[in-house]
Amino acid sequence: MKTLEHSLPEPAHNMACDEIMLDEVNGERSGPVLRFWESHTHFAVVGYGNSIQRECDTEACKRLGIPILRRISGGGAILQGPGCLNYSLVMRINPGDTTHSIGDTNCLIMTAHRKALSRALGEKVEVQGHTDLTLGGVKFSGNAQRRRRSALLFHGTFLLGLDLSRLGQALRFPSSVPAYRDGRSHEAFCRNLPLADEPLKAALGQVWQTDGQAEAPDTNAIGDLARRKYGNPEWIYRRP
């Protein structure tokens, strides 16, 4: 597996990049890749099946200049921005192994990341809910996946220095929550991880035995998909 450090200036372009990488691996035009990226601006992003009006405070987002987008994977609404490190793991689905089902893939990747982060922090990290990573029962990473016939995209966020006060400004209390949330507000439920981005990247690279740098997808292809889909109100405001 190769590593790709590739942050694009527009939120829609970053999400388009993930989908293009997924399709390239699915079509055997490229090999598995671990991508890292960050956004220098805040934006909210809802899961594939979310209702924007239910999950986001649309008036507050408009007032604060926080655009709302939709991703291709499941899960709930999140806030992106400075201090939030994103990773995108794109790999082949191999019949008969632990990538063959959604549940087994969740278990494989979340267990690997839990162990890696526990070693890096010297503290006990837990997997709670379906795909949350927590420290002391407080969430610092959320994750989701999207599958094609022969490849999968497993991506997520690590909170390292996000302004947590913005979570409650942009997002409503979620429509679906894990039991361990126990009614906590966004600010009480989430925390920043006491780890710098480079040690975190190194820990994940070691887990996936990365070797060498991947080539970024074509810029024109990313821009075209971003215009047609991720920046298109018909996609963003689609009815779930």
Side-chain angles (χ1 to χ4, degrees):
M1 182 176 293
K2 295 187 181 299
T3 302
L4 177 64
E5 298 250 6
H6 194 51
S7 298
L8 297 161
E10 297 294 331
H13 286 67
N14 279 303
M15 287 188 286
C17 183
D18 274 1
E19 184 171 355
I20 288 173
M21 292 193 309
L22 173 60
D23 288 339
E24 288 182 346
V25 175
N26 185 61
E28 299 186 2
R29 296 186 297 277
S30 66
V33 61
L34 173 61
R35 175 193 175 209
F36 295 108
W37 64 275
E38 299 177 69
S39 176
H40 297 298
T41 59
H42 290 95
F43 68 98
V45 57
V46 298
Y48 178 82
N50 288 160
S51 162
I52 283 179
Q53 288 73 21
R54 172 61 187 83
E55 307 299 333
C56 300
D57 187 330
T58 54
E59 289 301 315
C61 286
K62 183 178 180 180
R63 184 175 66 253
L64 295 168
I66 298 175
I68 304 172
L69 290 92
R70 184 181 300 276
R71 62 181 183 270
I72 57 170
S73 60
I78 63 171
L79 181 71
Q80 294 268 10
C84 184
L85 176 68
N86 297 270
Y87 79 93
S88 307
L89 180 65
V90 186
M91 55 200 304
R92 297 281 297 172
I93 294 173
N94 298 308
D97 73 7
T98 49
T99 60
H100 189 57
S101 74
I102 293 173
D104 286 347
T105 301
N106 284 342
C107 184
L108 169 72
I109 295 175
M110 297 309 300
T111 298
H113 289 184
R114 175 185 62 78
K115 292 179 178 178
L117 270 294
S118 293
R119 287 193 298 268
L121 290 165
E123 298 183 58
K124 183 180 181 181
V125 170
E126 294 182 292
V127 179
Q128 293 188 266
H130 291 295
T131 54
D132 291 350
L133 289 176
T134 66
L135 193 61
V138 185
K139 177 180 176 179
F140 64 82
S141 175
N143 305 270
Q145 65 175 291
R146 177 74 180 197
R147 303 171 71 87
R148 298 284 197 249
R149 179 181 295 274
S150 300
L152 66 91
L153 164 68
F154 199 100
H155 57 183
T157 61
F158 289 98
L159 302 180
L160 302 182
L162 185 72
D163 179 359
L164 300 179
S165 69
R166 287 182 172 263
L167 294 173
Q169 296 173 347
L171 306 177
R172 301 189 189 279
F173 192 86
S175 58
S176 177
V177 297
Y180 85 96
R181 180 161 184 151
D182 197 29
R184 286 178 287 178
S185 68
H186 289 296
E187 289 184 64
F189 180 60
C190 298
R191 62 168 294 169
N192 286 304
L193 189 65
L195 190 67
D197 58 352
E198 290 306 323
L200 176 54
K201 293 175 185 178
L204 295 186
Q206 186 175 13
V207 166
W208 300 108
Q209 300 179 336
T210 55
D211 181 21
Q213 297 295 312
E215 184 175 339
D218 179 71
T219 300
N220 292 329
I222 291 174
D224 180 62
L225 182 59
R227 286 189 297 272
R228 289 188 292 105
K229 186 172 186 176
Y230 293 102
N232 186 339
E234 290 187 6
W235 164 258
I236 298 171
Y237 290 95
R238 63 181 291 275
R239 292 185 179 274

